[in-house]
Amino acid sequence: MERVLWKNSFRGGTACVLIEPVGPESGTRPVDFDYNKGVRELCDKYKALLVFDEVVTAFRIGLGGAQGYYGVKPDLTAFGKIVAGGYPSAGGLGGGKTLSSRWRPDLRAGRNALMWEEQWPRTP
């Protein structure tokens, strides 16, 4: 992973690294306990956002999700319908104030999607 992040740093950088924190296929192939910590360090080093895909795992490992279990704080976390009481086609996105303060609901033309107020600054 570091080799790819390093190469991308010469091409404008990497916007984000999106991973399932328990391992691929919702943990059917688990990762080493310290894997997420290593990914967090690489994202910090190469100024890429770390995004946890907790659509399936979410609160099944604990109330803090995978980030609580592994002790690693991602920049963004994607959740599935668990955050909407099981409502189909619903989901949620969570993150720190630095990023979430840049979102706003877009209600034009009946759409309800998160939109960036301004582009996240990426510097290699």
Side-chain angles (χ1 to χ4, degrees):
M1 181 182 295
E2 183 165 17
R3 186 178 329 145
V4 172
L5 291 169
W6 179 78
K7 283 181 183 179
N8 286 349
S9 69
F10 297 103
R11 301 176 182 141
T14 300
C16 73
V17 175
L18 184 121
I19 61 172
E20 285 188 83
V22 295
E25 305 296 325
S26 304
T28 56
R29 294 179 289 164
V31 296
D32 185 64
F33 189 83
D34 293 326
Y35 175 78
N36 295 302
K37 183 179 178 184
V39 175
R40 168 83 271 171
E41 291 169 358
L42 287 174
C43 286
D44 290 343
K45 180 177 179 180
Y46 291 97
K47 296 179 177 27
L49 297 177
L50 175 59
V51 181
F52 275 7
D53 174 358
E54 293 209 55
V55 169
V56 175
T57 56
F59 307 109
R60 291 185 175 136
I61 353 181
L63 290 177
Q67 55 191 296
Y69 179 75
Y70 292 107
V72 175
K73 187 175 179 183
D75 298 299
L76 295 172
T77 305
F79 297 102
K81 60 186 180 179
I82 185 91
V83 297
Y87 187 76
S89 302
L93 185 64
K97 191 173 185 176
T98 305
L99 290 175
S100 59
S101 66
R102 297 170 183 264
W103 305 333
R104 62 177 173 79
D106 186 357
L107 301 175
R108 292 173 291 173
R111 294 184 302 153
N112 188 7
L114 291 175
M115 304 292 288
W116 292 103
E117 286 187 10
E118 57 186 76
Q119 187 176 0
W120 178 254
R122 279 189 3 204
T123 53

